[in-house]
């Protein structure tokens, strides 16, 4: 019997971490989740063992690594609300930077040398130019972004000192849901555009506030690069394979390369589901850069990474069922086929 390659997934009960566990399992790895369930969901851990522990608990990490014969790590466990990070900076530095220290110590103590880090385009702050390349200066504008940059810098230093190798994956806006319906996006509180807009479209909440309509973009609303969570998950599997094959430490953007404004997202939701998104204009949200889009060429060259489901309508179509909405285009096509 072949033994699966056991990989530690911190934050494996969260939105992106759980999708990564599914992708890892499909690729022949055994994902071993460590998660304190502060924001994750135990029922999202379906593809391997679950250890209920905080990533800052170094001895729990060490025990898990030894018990399961872990060979590599994917590190998702972190707090990820930009606004909250402005209000509670110490909590963010403690959880995100502190979690990274604990994990590095556990890895150095057990001889683990390969780490895939969940990093963010928030490390770039408000870039002078888009699309953003990896050599765009990293100048975060909030504690969340700074905490992720600290994680990258710690890994860089430890790479030199301890022979660790890492892939820091700087994602743009993760969205969508598992196409087979096994996982979905469930944040509490929800702050992300797509789930909020789908909830507004299905009547589960009041009108969506469009934060800022006076930005220097096509229609005045903010532009973002939305990447399907399943594409992101595959990017992580490719990064794990790259490190396992001896690849040197690297930092890579993971995005679709295409920007969509808030108004374009609302129009696409109506096109896909048939339901208009009730909305009203609101003031700018502090800390929102006008436009963030990725140049993902390096990820393509380094990992062979290509997005497969990151067209905006595909993302919406996959996310809609978890908000009680259907892809109205499929129903129409079905009717036409039956006629
Ligand atoms: N938006 C609205 N109304 C809402 C919610 C969002 O207009 O009710 C707008 C925001 O202003 C922004 C866009 O929709 O322009 C996307 O906002 P999200 O909150 O969905 O995502 P962010 O771009 O703020 O955040 C994402 C990740 C963070 C990461 C950040 C980097 O969720 O983890 O990108 O900028 F740090």
């Amino acid at each position: 019997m072949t033994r699966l390659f056991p990989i530690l997934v911190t934050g494996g009960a969260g939105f992106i971490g759980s999708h990564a566990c599914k992708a890892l399992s499909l690729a022949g790895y055994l994902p071993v989740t460590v998660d304190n369930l502060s924001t994750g969901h135990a029922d999202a851990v379906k593809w391997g063992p679950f250890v209920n522990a905080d990533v800052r608990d170094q001895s729990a990490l060490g025990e898990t690594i030894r018990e399961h014969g872990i060979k590599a790590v994917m590190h998702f466990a972190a707090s990820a609300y930009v606004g909250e990070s402005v209000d509670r900076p110490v909590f963010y530095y403690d959880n995100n930077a502190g979690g990274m220290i604990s994990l590095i110590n556990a890895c150095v103590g057990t001889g683990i040398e390969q780490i895939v880090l969940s990093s963010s385009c928030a490390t770039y702050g408000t870039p002078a130019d888009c699309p953003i390349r990896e050599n765009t200066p990293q100048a975060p504008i909030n504690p969340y972004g700074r905490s992720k940059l600290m994680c990258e810098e710690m890994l860089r230093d430890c790479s030199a000192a301890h022979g660790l190798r890492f892939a820091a994956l700087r994602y743009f806006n993760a969205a969508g849901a598992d196409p087979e319906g096994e996982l979905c996006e469930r944040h509490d509180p929800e702050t992300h555009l797509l789930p909020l807009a789908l909830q507004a479209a299905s009547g589960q909440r009041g009108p969506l506030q469009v934060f800022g309509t006076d930005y220097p973009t096509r229609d005045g609303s903010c532009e973002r690069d939305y990447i399907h969570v399943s594409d992101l998950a595959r990017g992580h599997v490719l990064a794990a394979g790259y490190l396992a094959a001896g690849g040197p430490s690297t930092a890579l953007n993971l995005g679709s390369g295409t920007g969509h404004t808030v108004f374009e997202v609302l129009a696409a939701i109506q096109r896909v589901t048939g339901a208009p998104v009730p909305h009203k204009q609101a003031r700018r949200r502090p800390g929102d850069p006008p436009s963030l889009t990725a140049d993902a060429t390096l990820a393509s060259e380094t990992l062979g990474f290509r997005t497969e489901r990151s067209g905006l309508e595909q993302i919406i179509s996959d996310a809609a069922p978890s908000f009680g909405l259907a892809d109205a285009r499929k129903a129409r096509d079905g009717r036409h086929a039956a006629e």
Side-chain angles (χ1 to χ4, degrees), residues 58 99-111 162 164:
Q58 195 186 311
M100 187 79 256
I101 292 171
S102 164
L103 181 63
I104 291 173
N105 273 329
C107 287
V108 171
T110 53
H162 305 297
L164 289 178

Side-chain angles (χ1 to χ4, degrees), residues 163-193:
L164 289 178
R165 285 175 300 111
F166 69 91
L169 303 182
R170 298 175 186 158
Y171 341 133
F172 286 67
N173 287 52
D178 174 44
E180 282 144 13
E182 293 189 280
L183 295 164
C184 63
E185 185 164 10
R186 284 180 284 166
H187 295 116
D188 186 19
E190 188 53 78
T191 63
H192 294 104
L193 176 64

Side-chain angles (χ1 to χ4, degrees), residues 7 22 26 28 53 83 85-86 120 124 127 144 149 163 183 196 206 240 242 249 265 295 299 320 338-339:
I7 188 157
K22 178 171 181 178
L26 289 173
S85 80
V86 175
S120 170
Y124 294 114
Y144 168 68
L149 181 54
L183 295 164
L196 288 175
Y242 163 85
S249 292
V265 171
D295 180 331
E339 279 162 12

